[in-house]
Amino acid sequence: MNNLLFLVPIAIGMGLVGLASFFWAMRNSQFDDLDGAAARILIDDEDEDEIDSSGKRTGDSG
Amino acid sequence: MNAPAREEAPGTCSVLNVPGMHCAGCMAKVERAFGNLPGVTSARANLTARSVEVIHDGQVQIPQIVDALAAVGFEAQPREDIAPPPSAVKPLLAPLAVAAFAGMNVMLLSVSVWAGAGGATRDLFHWISALIAVPAIAYSGRPFFTSAWAALKKWTTNMDVPISIGVILATALSFYEVVTGGKDAWFDGTLMLLVFLLIGRVLDAMMRDRARAGVDALLRQAANGATVVDDSGLTGWVEARRLAPGMVMRVSSGERLAADGTILSGTSSFDQSLLTGESAPVPVGPGADVLAGTLNLDAPVDVRVTATGHGTALAEIAQLMEAASQSKSAYVRVADRAARLYAPAVHTLAALAFVGWMIAGAGLYKSLVVAIAVLIITCPCALGLAVPVAQVVAAGALMKRGIMVKDGSALERMAGVDRALLDKTGTLTMGRPVPDPATIEAMGVEEAAVALALASNSKHPLSRGLAAALSARGVRAETLANVHEEPGRGLTALWHGRTVSLGRPERGEGTASVLAIDGSPPRLIRFADALRPDAAEALARLSALHVEASILSGDAPEAVAEVAGQTGLAGRGGVSPAAKQDATIALQQAGHKVLMVGDGLNDGPALMKADASMAPGSASDVGLHSADLVFTGDSLLAIPRAVRAARATMAVVKQNFALAVIYNVLAVPLAMAGMVTPLIAAVAMSASSLLVVGNSLRLVRAAK
């Protein structure tokens, strides 16, 4: 019983953190463009890399 | 580049619609289009809304942004309303999250109770459950409570009434149990019910959001405005809303009129098919009246505006549509019709259980518990999910095939149709001139390459049609020099020192143009408004589905007769918008369920009046607004495909109802006998919901 007294609040608190983070994400328009979010993973980030004349990238794209 | 969406950047934020963006590659191109445009801080593309949000300083003007996007190959229009269209999903996400969080935690505590926690521990767990569940139910049940209350105020019931009654009574009883230290609490089952139902709602809303976004993107492709010439000869772009009678519009060839008016100068011919269904171009000269929505074909003309917006020409159509829209809203969805049977039955059973146990002398409290157990176990879950899940799966399958379902009830109404009325111009036919395939076949490789190079330099509808047909055959354009277009005459250019031209034939040859290459005989290319591909196949499939089709067109009877001959359908020509609507009503009164397929303004009233309606993506904005389903792409196969998918959906919905009824027949006696514990209720409810969802998933291949 004594264990329960602090284990149950911890469990519920963890759940609340999850719920709060979901609300935070929703408020920050993370759910505005679900299709776009799925597609973004396919975009190569080439814009920080300069392409030199030999056609090789100078940036370190790992 | 990929700045966070809400970055507090200095400067202004402009939102532009980019309808052509549909993949990751497009997004990257759009976001990087402004790399060498100084003054642009960041650009973020939104693929769902097909738009891009550009943060820039005051130096940058909208036209520069549009040009930068055009340079990477995307058409863009500035969005008039900065606020995004209201989403149906967003208000439901928070209730779903709360219900799911609370449901999981309460379920953990309930499992401990079921596992044998007793005495003080059980009471503690029940109290914690109540503290989590009561606020959560109050918050996440709101979508159902408000809808149920609205129905009750009108003295009707819908699906939300039994749901709300069950949820509220179960919560109240559980709370009483907790306060009195009883042994059963139903919070877990109640929350789970809400979670399942909210999932159904969210899916339903997602489907509608997605279809609406697609239709919005199509609507925005229509140019809404005109180039206006003032007295000093300066020209400027004016949005359609701001056009006023007396202004003078300069309308180039290939442009649609934004307002009604009278031609001041210039002669040309106008395509009125979107307005009246007439496919033959109408020659016009100074003094002639021209209507908004018609397309200028040949040469630029100056038009003095006489009426704007929903002015004179559209007034009649608008009135007819207004009247027809009321009959459509009277349709009762199948879920609500089921609820009208289901709610009284369930509530009667619960009342019977209560009275029966009272007579048997079990006491008020025990009788009430049994009655509420009946309400909970008859779980409107399966019933509440039966319709939306099936419709969402089917709509998703149709979406992949380029058919947008604007509303779930459209699939219900579509399933019953047995008559189809098809508009001709733009629906059965492409609604745009297509070059004669035999002529295209006969062209040499070089000849075709020159023709494509010439045609792609013009906005004239014939040139566009020729360019599209040649590109579709994989022709690569030649490089030309000195390309010059003379409005109303045609294009000339130099190709390896030889003069080449594409222009109007000398004599009246119908709709045709002449390709001339210096040193070889000129070639006459005839154009016709061709039938859509697969028209014959689509009509055959429709009749296999026992849907009898006929043509109903505003075009000249001769033109209709020709298409009727090609398709073997009966056809009527020269039908006015009001007559189209009357024809629909006449069929309905004869006991038919009518599907109307049309694209024009003149089809609007009939689209509204018909039991179900479809429009091609190339339709006028009135057509897109009033149709239940919109299909993109050229193939007419979309029509039988949608009918078949709708029927499959209704079949699955009926199976789902049957499953729910069977489940209730098994569960209700247990509840009436007072043998249902919260554990049994939870298991039975989830099992029935999963069964219904699983059955609906079979519709994934519905749009074959």
Side-chain angles (χ1 to χ4, degrees), chain A residues 15 22 32-33 39-40 44 47, chain B residues 31-32 45-48 90:
Chain A
F22 173 78
D32 280 5
D33 184 15
R40 270 179 202 283
D44 300 330
D47 54 325
Chain B
E31 288 183 342
R32 288 168 198 167
N46 183 328
L47 191 62
T48 318
K90 277 209 125 170

Side-chain angles (χ1 to χ4, degrees), chain A residues 24-37:
Chain A
W24 173 85
M26 218 168 69
R27 294 247 159 78
N28 284 275
S29 59
Q30 306 264 326
F31 288 85
D32 280 5
D33 184 15
L34 295 173
D35 301 353

Side-chain angles (χ1 to χ4, degrees), chain B residues 456-483:
Chain B
S456 57
N457 274 303
S458 164
K459 275 190 158 179
H460 193 288
L462 292 189
S463 304
R464 282 188 176 179
L466 182 60
L470 289 168
S471 308
R473 297 182 60 81
V475 175
R476 304 286 299 272
E478 283 283 343
T479 327
L480 302 177
N482 299 354
V483 181

Side-chain angles (χ1 to χ4, degrees), chain B residues 632-653:
Chain B
T632 53
D634 287 340
S635 170
L636 261 187
L637 285 176
I639 302 173
R641 189 168 283 148
V643 173
R644 178 152 347 115
R647 289 186 184 173
T649 310
M650 271 321 266
V652 167
V653 165

Side-chain angles (χ1 to χ4, degrees), chain A residues 1 4-5 8 11-12 15-16 19 22-23 26 29 31-36 39-40 42-47, chain B residues 1-2 5-6 24 27-28 31-32 44-48 90 93-94 97-98 101 121 124-125 128 132 210:
Chain A
M1 193 71 190
L4 292 178
L5 284 179
V8 169
I12 292 173
L16 277 173
L19 186 66
F22 173 78
F23 271 82
M26 218 168 69
S29 59
F31 288 85
D32 280 5
D33 184 15
L34 295 173
D35 301 353
R40 270 179 202 283
L42 300 170
I43 300 180
D44 300 330
D45 277 327
E46 287 180 29
D47 54 325
Chain B
M1 67 151 219
N2 296 355
R6 289 288 151 105
M27 284 171 84
E31 288 183 342
R32 288 168 198 167
R44 185 162 178 98
N46 183 328
L47 191 62
T48 318
K90 277 209 125 170
L93 280 178
V98 169
F101 156 79
T121 317
L124 173 73
F125 281 179
I128 299 171
I132 300 171
R210 217 166 254 205

